[in-house]
Each structure stands twice: as C-alpha cells, then as structure tokens.
Amino acid sequence: MKIFRIACVYAACLAVLAIFLAPIAWVVVISLKMRGDIFTWPPTFFGFKPTMINYVNVLSGSSKFLLYLGNSLIVASVSTVVAVCIGTLGAFALSGRRKRSSKLWSYWMLSFRMMPPVALIIPYHFLYQKAGMLGSLSAIAISHSVFSVAVVLWMTKNFFDEVPSEIEEAAMVDGASEWQTFRYIILPMAKAAIAASLIFAFLTSWNEFLFAAILSNTKTYTAPVAISSFVGEVYVSWGELAAATIVGILPALVVVFFGQRYLLVGLAPGAVK
Amino acid sequence: MASVSIEEASKRYGSSKVLHDVSLDIADGEFVTLVGPSGCGKSTLLRMIAGLEDISGGQIRIGSKIVNDIAPKERDIAMVFQSYALYPHMTVAENMAFSLKLSKISKAEIKAKVDKASDILGLTPLLDRYPRQLSGGQRQRVAMGRAIVRDPSVFLFDEPLSNLDAKLRVAMRTEIKALHQRLKTTTIYVTHDQVEAMTMADKIVVMRDGRIEQAGRPLELYDHPANLFVAQFIGSPSMNMLHGTIGAEGFATADGLQAPLEPNHKTLSRPAIYGIRPEHLAIADFPAPDTLAVTVDVIEPTGAETQIFAHFGATPIVAVVRERITTNPGDRLFLRPDMEKLHLFSADGNSRL
Amino acid sequence: MTIPVITSAIDADNEEARPRRVSNTANLFLIPAGVMSVLLIGLPLLGLLVTSLFEFNLTQMAMYRFVWLSNYVTIVQDPAFWHALRVTIAFVIESVALQIVAGVAIALLFDHRLPGLSLIRTLFLAPMMIAPVFAGMIWRLFLSDDFGLAKYLLQLAGWSEPPLWLSNPAFAIHAVVIIVSWQWIPFVVLFCLAGLQIIPRDLYEAAKLDGAGPIRRFTAITLPLLMPIISTVLVFRVIDALKVFDVIYATTGGGPGDSTETLSYLVYQQAMGFFNMGYGAALATVMLIVVATLALILIKFNERIAKGRA
C-alpha cells in the first residue's frame, strides 16, 4: 500500500511540474519547427523535423538580436558589479552594529521593494534627458544598479549578521581596522552569500523591462525590450520569436539548473536551515 | 611585559551599573584569575581592559599608560576567546600570521615568529589545516598561538576552556600554566570554574555583582575568606555553614545544638555563622565536647576519598575524609572539626569575625 | 524560529547581551549606498511630487503652468482612474488568492522526503526566474489561437471552443492572472515548503493517535502553524501584484479595450503614451500612496500574526 502511495505522490509531483513547464517546453518546440510545421493542427510535440534555422537567424550577424543580447549582458554585468561593491560595503556597515538609525535604513530598503517602478519613469525620463543620456546603456545600467544595490545589501546583510561578533573582535584585537576586517575577514567568509546576491542582481537586471524600455533607443534595446517590440506585430516569424524568447530566458534557466544552492540562499534567507 | 592597574573602573549600560568602581593592581608577569558567578562582571572587566568595551568611569592603565580611549590594537594586548574565534577561511598558519601581516612585518620575520609559536604549542604539523578540520583542543591551541605570536604585554583569556570536555580541560590548564611560566607575560584569565582559578593563579580575584569580593593569593582566600560568599565560592565541596549564636558554652545553632568553639572565640554573644570546610572534619570514634553528632544521609566513595553527606540538626553537612568507612545511611557519626580551621562570619555574611 | 517575518528583517537591533562599540568608519561605508539612494530614489520622488503639481506635456514643453492640486482633482473625476483602480484591485485579489491556494496545495504535495523530489522542486522554480516580458511572450505563443498548445489541450479536456484569451475582453484579465500566478506560485511554494518543514512531525503523530483525519490535521495543525509564512508571502505577493506592468505590456497592452488597464499601465500610458507628464506624475503619486498604505496595513497585520504564533 505504501508503494502505491509513493507512486501517486511522484506521479502528482511530475504532473504538476509538467503542467508548469509545459508553456516553456512548447515555446522550445515552436523554436525548433519550420514555418509550415508551426501551423499544423493538431499541434505536434514530436513528429516533426526539428530545425535550428530559427536560432541561426536570430543569432546571426545580420540579426539585431545579438546586439540586444550584448546590451543586456553589458548592462547586467556593470550594474551587478557596482551593486556588489556598494551593497556589500553598506551591508557591512549596517550589520550587527548598533546604529540608532539602522532601523530607519531597514525601512528605507523595504520601501525600495514596495515602490512601483512606474512611479520613477517620469522623473527618470526627465533626469536622463537633461543629462543627455537618454538612449545610452549607462543610463540603464545606473537605474538597474539602484535596485540591485538593495538586493545585494539585503542578502549580504543577512549573512553578515550571522557572523559571530567574537571573530570581529579577534580581528580588532589583532589590529585590523574596519576596512581590513571587512576585506580580509568578513568578505572571504561571505563568498557564498555574495555569489548568491550576484546571481540575483544579474538576473534582476537581465529581466528588467520598464526602465530599459524608457531609457533606450533602437540601438540600445536590451533583450526584453527587443522581444516586447514584437508584441503588436501582426506578421511575425513565430519560430524566430520563439527562438529569441528561449535565448532570452537562457540565463534564468542556467541559474535554475546549476545555481540551485545559491538560489535557495538568496530567495529564502533564514528559511533554509 | 607590563603591569595593569585598574582604578575605580565602572561600567554602565544605559541606566544600570554593571561594574561598581572596581580597583585592582596587577603586577608585571603576574597570572591573575577573575572568577565569579555568571553576571558578576568579570568578562566585562576583561573586555574593558582589552578595549572591546567603553569605560564609563575610572581609568585603566597598561604599563604606565592610561588606555581608556586607546583602540585595542594600540594597547599591545592579545586575547583568547571562549569560542576561539578562529578565522574559518584561513589556515592555522594564516590565522596566526594575520596580525603580523597587518603590522607590515617582513615575510621572513612572520614565518620565524609563527614557527616559534607553533613549536611551543605543538602546532607545527597542523599549520596547513583549516579550523574546521581541528579538534576542540587543537583549536584552543591555535587561538593561543595567535595570541603568543604577537608577543604582547598582556595576555587576556576569556573562559578559554569552557567548551572543552573535563579531561581536556585539566590537561590544557597545566599547559597554559606552563606557558605562563615560560613566557612570563602578564596574564589575566577569566573563568567561572573556581578550581581552574585556584590552580592557575598567582593572584585570584573573586567578583560578585560588579564588585571585587576579595583579591589575593589563592591559599590566602582559601584559608582566610573575607566573607561568606568567598568562603562558599572557593573550595569544593563548599564550606559547611551553621547559623546560630556565639555563647559561653560554644556555638549554639538555630535548632539548639552545640558546636565546639575555641575559648577565645567565645568573647562575643552575638548571632554569627559558623563555617568549617568538609576536608577539615575528621571522624571521631566517640562523642566528645568537641565533636558534632550528625546523621548520615549518603556516602559517596570516590576512590581517593570518601564524601559524607549528613545532617546536623536541620542543617546539611558535608565531610570529606581520606579513609574508607562502612557507615550506613541513617547511622549516627561523630565529626571533629579542626579548631584551627574554623571560620566565623557575621550574621549577614559580610565580614569575618 | 527561522520563519522569515518581514519585520524581523527590519529589526536590526539584535538582542545581544553586549552591544558593540559604535564605529565611525562604518558610516563611511554607507556613503555610496546612501548617496545612491538619495540621488536616484529620493530626489526623483521629490521631483515626481513637484511635477504632479504642474500641467506639463512633453509635446508642448514651453507651455507648462503651475496648477497646484488640480491634477489630483481631475484624477478623482476621471472614470479611467476609477476603472483602473477597480481592475487593479480585482486583479490583486484574484491573483493573490490563486497563488496562495495553489501554492499551499502544491507545497503540501511537494513536502515529502523522497529521492528526486528536490530536483523537481528546483526545476519548479523556473517560471519565477524568467523576465515577466518573456513570460508574457511565452504565454502568447502558448495561448495562440493558431498554434497554441493550450487550445489543443483544452479541446481535449472538452472545451471545444476555447476563447481568444488575450483578445477577448471578458477573459483577458483572467489570462493575465494566470500568467502572473504561473510565475509566482513557485515563490509561494518555496516559502510554504520552508514553513512546512519547520512543523515538528510529532504533532502529526500525536494528532493521528488522537484520531484526527488528514483534513482535521491540516486545519488544526498545518494551517495555524503556517499562518506566519502565509501572511509574509501575502504581503510580498500583494505588493508585487499592485506593481504588475511588464506582463500586461507584453500581452494585452492594457486591452482589449481597457480590460487589463491597471494603475501601473494607466500611469505609463499617460506619461509615455500621451506625454502628459504632470497628470501622469499625479497618477503615479496617488498610486504610491495606495501601495504604501496597503503595504503598511499588511505589514502590521503580518506583525500581529507572527507575534501571536511565535
């Protein structure tokens, strides 16, 4: 009887997983179909001749999508590096130290999470226009940095708070200044947490749409913006669109497959014990 | 090498005072233990000496320098923490070398110092290991190595042996004492274990509720405790206490029994506390005016000695004797206190008579 | 307790027996983050407030004038605003309810110690890590009337004429609810799984011995002990639902008609569609107030639940 129950659980879990991954799987299938195959009815999961032509078209030199992918990569990398540098410093300053205003800081950080990005598009549009930076990748990178800093600070602070105070005291007695304690003791100890926050910041930037859309021009679209520009189109190469979408979600899928440990550290700090 | 002098030091957390104008002088090269129950302020005092806590009042000097506002790294002290506080991402060698690296000494010199320290502590085969690969005792030694390497003026130990098992604790105790004899550095050692404190110290300081109850050589405190608290804190099992009144015939306990008293002690007619240590009670064969008649509860032979738990009237009494006895629970026994080792305290326990 | 409560993240004053010395260099470390937030969040928000007091359109930049609160008056009288508010609230309720119910159910299912299940649980997180825009595109292809698998599956299940999800005003908003829930149910599952694993198994054993059936065990043990987590998740989900924008842009563009025009979308439309910066700023400010109020209420609610159970 027990085996039957276990089998049921497995079956149900796999079914749920299948249901949830079905849309993604379907898009992969479409991306591998030639134009004619896409429109066959009933739609086929197998039973067609797969082709890589959509991917070739999307990623070829003549396609602009490669450029947009590159933009996403640049923006995500830069904003992540900036976020990690500024965020870890800030988290160290706020962690476990008795600052009367640290509660204020925490509320401030929480309000980041709460703020609808739409609220900022008007001032940002104005700001960057005045600075002559509309349409530049730097503008997008800067905007992403702000939110990424909050993410990194939050996550690394949770880790820093767990470091026993005696270690910092030992460093103090050994003669380390605040900076030296941070650089030689705390930072190396936090490698996993920093890696997790790095991954998170990167993904957050890669996935970001609104600010990238507002602040970019046709040369500086990021991947999500490029995809969205096909939204209103009537005549589209669906296969290529599917391929582009899959390429666009590749970083996310890579993280899910390989970065599992880091994901859990980041998503639910304190929930993973 | 330096002396440490604490002058009227006090510590406040918000509105509560944790240390009340404590004064203490520690000579150069002395091994001083601070001992007392949890919350007595011993660790706070140590941390104030280290510079990890601010000093709310009074001064602390290391050598002749007032160090109240000087950062820990400038005070030329080294500290061994209760949880060792080893840097988990560094090897043993790196842990020990860290402070030296910060002071920008040459690599060759660092290596020499680390090698010397690890040689003294027997850490040489472990130099490339990480803390997580070490046993408790080994981590302890690394923590000490980290302190030794800096050749400071003062060593500070904050309950370093608390996390070790009993046997290891005894072994490490001897090692630390041997180390002190070798290096002769001024050492301040905090512990809640009075046996540790007694065996290791040149000078022992008993603290309670933020005050020093008594300071002096260990045997001094053992033989002449200044008040009830010290008397009961030092010595295991603790001193027996009888409450009652000094009278012409002797000491009359609260439940009407008589305990023997020296003639010159019978001067005052006042309520007092009669104290005698378990090890100063001998078994008498016959009842006599100088014996106490007790009823035995439990006999605990430990091999080297026998602990007798009994009752004198309503008061529990413990005696420790060397011989093996065959008394049974419920029997009567006669115990003769060593008159020279008797202690009398005022009724409130605060002073010696 | 390792249950993440929102305010525990706020409570940076950890109860240490010995508070540590306040260091002055620590303040220096905060300067970059501080400067960044002031320059890129604080000032812009101030700018937003200021802009909302103007009648200002980008296409007629020279002709701007200070109109005090008249933009706000217009908002109150604007049927589009109230419609967007209704759409937003209905959307939040529907999507959060779906996420929590489905999330708890799936968490219960996933809460078994079986080999391979942890892989399933990890793969399950994929929808959450995808950009909402891509999610929208994925579902467009999935729900397509011409070649979408969804239509086929629904027909197999007996629904012979599935609607044109994204072009039918009656269904569009529900399609968006489904897409957003698809993305965030894994989030709920993740948190609930953590919460479920904290519940000591002995409680269930004891309840079984007392004769409690599975449903009773759920209502008497699981649900109450899961409440703190659920309320934390609720706060996150509601706040995120209020902010939803990307998915709508990528699928329905606020339509068909205005059936999926949420507050976010309204702001976007006014600012980037019609270039009414002043009016858009006022709308954005109102939206901020709505979100902030709701968030504060929810956090207080969350605090009370956590204190009651912890």
Side-chain angles (χ1 to χ4, degrees):
Chain A
M1 234 10 223
K2 194 111 196 272
I3 300 195
F4 176 67
R5 199 175 122 79
I6 292 183
C8 278
V9 170
Y10 269 122
C13 290
L14 283 168
V16 167
L17 186 67
I19 293 176
F20 267 77
L21 295 185
I24 300 178
W26 184 239
V27 174
V28 173
V29 164
I30 294 182
S31 71
L32 294 171
K33 282 185 176 176
M34 290 190 292
R35 191 142 217 293
D37 289 330
I38 296 181
F39 287 93
T40 59
W41 194 266
T44 50
F45 230 101
F46 305 105
F48 63 92
K49 190 150 169 248
T51 166
M52 293 298 283
I53 182 127
N54 293 315
Y55 286 99
V56 169
N57 288 346
V58 160
L59 295 173
S60 72
S62 63
S63 133
K64 285 205 153 165
F65 197 64
L66 211 55
L67 168 69
Y68 302 143
L69 282 174
N71 289 342
S72 274
L73 190 64
I74 295 175
V75 167
S77 308
V78 169
S79 68
T80 302
V81 168
V82 169
V84 168
C85 291
I86 297 186
T88 51
L89 272 178
F92 179 66
L94 288 177
S95 70
R97 272 150 177 74
R98 290 228 144 205
K99 275 190 61 120
R100 244 153 281 128
S101 47
S102 67
K103 205 154 183 168
L104 200 77
W105 268 97
S106 296
Y107 274 111
W108 183 236
M109 285 299 147
L110 197 68
S111 63
F112 268 50
R113 185 83 164 79
M114 284 197 246
M115 173 150 47
V118 263
L120 287 175
I121 58 174
I122 294 174
Y124 272 24
H125 182 94
F126 186 72
L127 190 77
Y128 287 110
Q129 191 185 45
K130 277 277 179 242
M133 284 168 74
L134 264 191
S136 70
L137 284 180
S138 349
I140 307 177
I142 295 176
S143 319
H144 286 186
S145 303
V146 184
F147 291 94
S148 293
V149 164
V151 165
V152 171
L153 206 148
W154 187 286
M155 283 174 56
T156 48
K157 177 175 173 323
N158 277 329
F159 179 83
F160 290 161
D161 284 342
E162 301 284 314
V163 173
S165 60
E166 291 198 330
I167 292 202
E168 285 185 53
E169 287 173 355
M172 241 203 287
V173 168
D174 272 350
S177 66
E178 291 277 3
W179 167 251
Q180 284 165 329
T181 310
F182 177 69
R183 173 151 184 249
Y184 293 114
I185 307 293
I186 303 291
L187 220 49
M189 280 175 73
K191 283 207 196 105
I194 294 180
S197 66
L198 203 145
I199 291 178
F200 247 72
F202 187 87
L203 262 188
T204 309
S205 171
W206 182 275
N207 289 351
E208 203 279 328
F209 169 71
L210 189 55
F211 291 119
I214 303 284
L215 300 173
S216 62
N217 58 31
T218 47
K219 287 209 196 67
T220 55
Y221 279 174
T222 58
V225 181
I227 292 286
S228 72
S229 67
F230 287 109
V231 167
E233 306 282 322
V234 178
Y235 185 71
V236 167
S237 166
W238 295 109
E240 286 176 23
L241 188 55
T245 307
I246 295 298
V247 172
I249 66 173
L250 223 45
L253 293 180
V254 163
V255 168
V256 170
F257 270 102
F258 298 111
Q260 307 165 13
R261 208 181 321 132
Y262 298 112
L263 265 189
L264 295 174
V265 167
L267 282 170
V272 182
K273 277 288 173 163
Chain B
M1 302 319 145
S3 62
V4 178
S5 86
I6 300 162
E7 298 157 13
E8 307 274 315
S10 65
K11 176 76 185 163
R12 260 199 184 78
Y13 285 133
S15 53
S16 60
K17 205 167 184 187
V18 167
L19 275 179
H20 300 93
D21 305 320
V22 164
S23 293
L24 184 63
D25 275 314
I26 300 168
D28 182 14
E30 230 183 347
F31 192 115
V32 172
T33 51
L34 303 177
V35 68
S38 286
C40 67
K42 54 195 192 294
S43 283
T44 312
L45 185 58
L46 191 79
R47 288 164 62 87
M48 282 163 70
I49 299 173
L52 297 170
E53 298 278 356
D54 287 325
I55 301 170
S56 309
Q59 333 199 70
I60 295 183
R61 279 178 213 267
I62 299 182
S64 52
K65 211 162 57 151
I66 297 183
V67 296
N68 282 32
D69 297 314
I70 301 186
K73 57 177 165 174
E74 313 281 325
R75 299 191 186 193
D76 199 24
I77 48 120
M79 188 151 166
V80 177
F81 294 86
Q82 185 175 3
S83 64
Y84 324 130
L86 299 178
Y87 307 126
H89 59 289
M90 293 188 188
T91 61
V92 167
E94 288 167 351
N95 259 282
M96 294 207 288
F98 183 63
S99 60
L100 300 175
K101 257 190 13 173
L102 290 174
S103 21
K104 300 202 173 29
I105 305 183
S106 75
K107 272 203 176 152
E109 242 190 286
I110 295 181
K111 186 164 187 337
K113 289 188 187 235
V114 170
D115 283 341
K116 180 159 165 245
S118 60
D119 196 44
I120 296 179
L121 290 166
L123 289 172
T124 323
L126 301 173
L127 282 176
D128 288 323
R129 301 253 191 101
Y130 285 92
R132 60 176 174 273
Q133 299 169 298
L134 303 175
S135 71
Q138 290 169 328
R139 289 185 203 171
Q140 236 294 1
R141 288 215 204 92
V142 176
M144 294 203 293
R146 193 169 60 176
I148 293 177
V149 121
R150 302 187 37 214
D151 198 21
S153 312
V154 184
F155 278 138
L156 303 171
F157 286 85
D158 192 359
E159 307 210 38
L161 303 182
S162 305
N163 293 346
L164 299 175
D165 66 74
K167 269 222 167 89
L168 204 46
R169 224 181 289 159
V170 174
M172 292 300 297
R173 228 164 61 197
T174 332
E175 270 195 52
I176 295 180
K177 190 66 183 147
L179 200 65
H180 173 254
Q181 268 155 9
R182 177 169 173 175
L183 298 176
K184 303 209 189 338
T185 315
T186 315
T187 305
I188 307 179
Y189 188 102
V190 165
T191 177
H192 62 269
D193 181 344
Q194 57 97 27
V195 176
E196 240 173 67
M198 290 280 286
T199 54
M200 298 172 81
D202 292 330
K203 175 193 270 174
I204 181 174
V205 178
V206 175
M207 293 180 70
R208 178 171 65 147
D209 292 335
R211 290 186 174 81
I212 295 183
E213 294 287 335
Q214 190 174 358
R217 301 187 62 77
L219 290 178
E220 179 60 40
L221 267 71
Y222 179 87
D223 290 331
H224 301 108
N227 58 37
L228 200 64
F229 177 76
V230 177
Q232 291 204 296
F233 192 82
I234 304 285
S236 178
S238 0
M239 190 187 282
N240 293 298
M241 297 294 171
L242 299 171
H243 293 254
T245 327
I246 303 177
E249 279 88 56
F251 188 84
T253 65
D255 38 7
L257 299 166
Q258 285 283 4
L261 211 53
E262 287 280 307
N264 54 349
H265 283 151
K266 294 179 191 174
T267 48
L268 317 141
S269 286
R270 55 187 287 182
I273 300 179
Y274 183 101
I276 186 79
R277 293 197 184 276
E279 50 268 31
H280 297 147
L281 287 168
I283 299 181
D285 297 318
F286 309 101
D290 62 346
T291 62
L292 304 166
V294 302
T295 318
V296 175
D297 292 323
V298 178
I299 310 266
E300 283 183 9
T302 60
E305 53 194 25
T306 308
Q307 294 191 358
I308 304 171
F309 294 84
H311 269 95
F312 183 64
T315 322
I317 292 258
V318 183
V320 170
V321 298
R322 290 234 88 111
E323 59 263 35
R324 309 261 172 100
I325 61 174
T326 52
T327 334
N328 295 314
D331 288 353
R332 285 201 79 120
L333 201 60
F334 301 101
L335 298 172
R336 173 173 292 117
D338 184 342
M339 284 303 157
E340 289 179 13
K341 305 279 169 75
L342 207 57
H343 304 267
L344 281 171
F345 299 98
S346 62
D348 61 0
N350 287 343
S351 52
R352 191 180 178 70
L353 298 175
Chain C
M1 289 282 259
T2 52
I3 294 178
V5 173
I6 292 195
T7 45
S8 72
I10 293 181
D11 190 8
D13 297 335
N14 18 23
E15 332 279 1
E16 274 195 328
R18 313 195 273 240
R20 271 179 280 141
R21 302 176 108 208
V22 175
S23 133
N24 288 323
T25 24
N27 296 6
L28 278 177
F29 284 11
L30 274 175
I31 288 182
V35 164
M36 194 173 230
S37 14
V38 166
L39 277 184
L40 289 166
I41 303 280
L43 284 178
L45 281 181
L46 211 63
L48 184 76
L49 209 61
V50 168
T51 316
S52 72
L53 304 173
F54 281 75
E55 192 183 286
F56 178 44
N57 190 305
L58 272 187
T59 54
Q60 308 159 307
M61 283 225 297
M63 296 175 24
Y64 63 88
R65 50 192 194 101
F66 184 73
V67 290
W68 232 166
L69 294 173
S70 95
N71 278 329
Y72 292 95
V73 174
T74 321
I75 291 181
V76 173
Q77 297 166 336
D78 186 355
F81 168 73
W82 293 107
H83 173 79
L85 192 63
R86 276 196 300 271
V87 169
T88 309
I89 294 190
F91 173 77
V92 168
I93 295 178
E94 197 178 318
S95 64
V96 175
L98 177 61
Q99 285 165 36
I100 293 197
V101 169
V104 172
I106 296 179
L108 286 171
L109 177 65
F110 280 5
D111 184 30
H112 289 91
R113 254 172 240 120
L114 293 172
L117 220 50
S118 70
L119 181 64
I120 294 184
R121 285 196 284 260
T122 317
L123 291 176
F124 189 67
L125 296 175
M128 201 170 61
M129 314 299 295
I130 297 176
V133 175
F134 291 132
M137 190 54 71
I138 289 176
W139 277 82
R140 289 193 80 206
L141 296 171
F142 188 63
L143 292 174
S144 160
D145 204 54
D146 297 318
F147 52 79
L149 190 60
K151 178 172 174 182
Y152 181 59
L153 291 175
L154 287 173
Q155 282 178 337
L156 280 183
W159 194 344
S160 57
E161 278 295 317
L164 293 163
W165 289 98
L166 297 171
S167 356
N168 188 323
F171 287 94
I173 188 71
H174 302 294
V176 177
V177 167
I178 292 177
I179 300 175
V180 170
S181 304
W182 175 76
Q183 279 215 280
W184 292 104
I185 286 176
F187 178 88
V188 180
V189 169
L190 191 68
F191 272 76
C192 287
L193 265 178
L196 285 173
Q197 277 160 9
I198 290 179
I199 301 179
R201 301 282 150 175
D202 321 13
L203 288 180
Y204 292 117
E205 304 288 327
K208 263 191 227 167
L209 285 173
D210 285 343
I215 299 186
R216 185 110 178 98
R217 291 203 295 270
F218 177 72
T219 50
I221 300 178
T222 318
L223 210 49
L225 287 177
L226 210 51
M227 262 317 180
I229 297 247
I230 293 183
S231 75
T232 304
V233 166
L234 191 84
V235 178
F236 279 119
R237 292 326 321 137
V238 167
I239 291 177
D240 281 350
L242 286 167
K243 299 194 289 182
V244 159
F245 177 83
D246 299 7
V247 174
I248 298 181
Y249 186 93
T251 51
T252 60
D258 56 4
S259 58
T260 58
E261 199 174 77
T262 59
L263 274 178
S264 294
Y265 206 82
L266 192 64
V267 173
Y268 176 80
Q269 224 177 33
Q270 285 294 323
M272 296 295 137
F274 303 137
F275 299 113
N276 280 332
M277 296 311 216
Y279 188 60
L283 274 172
T285 312
V286 170
M287 187 183 171
L288 269 175
I289 296 176
V290 168
V291 174
T293 325
L294 254 158
L296 277 166
I297 296 177
L298 282 171
I299 289 183
K300 282 283 174 278
F301 170 72
N302 173 269
E303 255 179 65
R304 201 169 315 143
I305 296 248
K307 284 210 175 78
R309 307 289 170 174

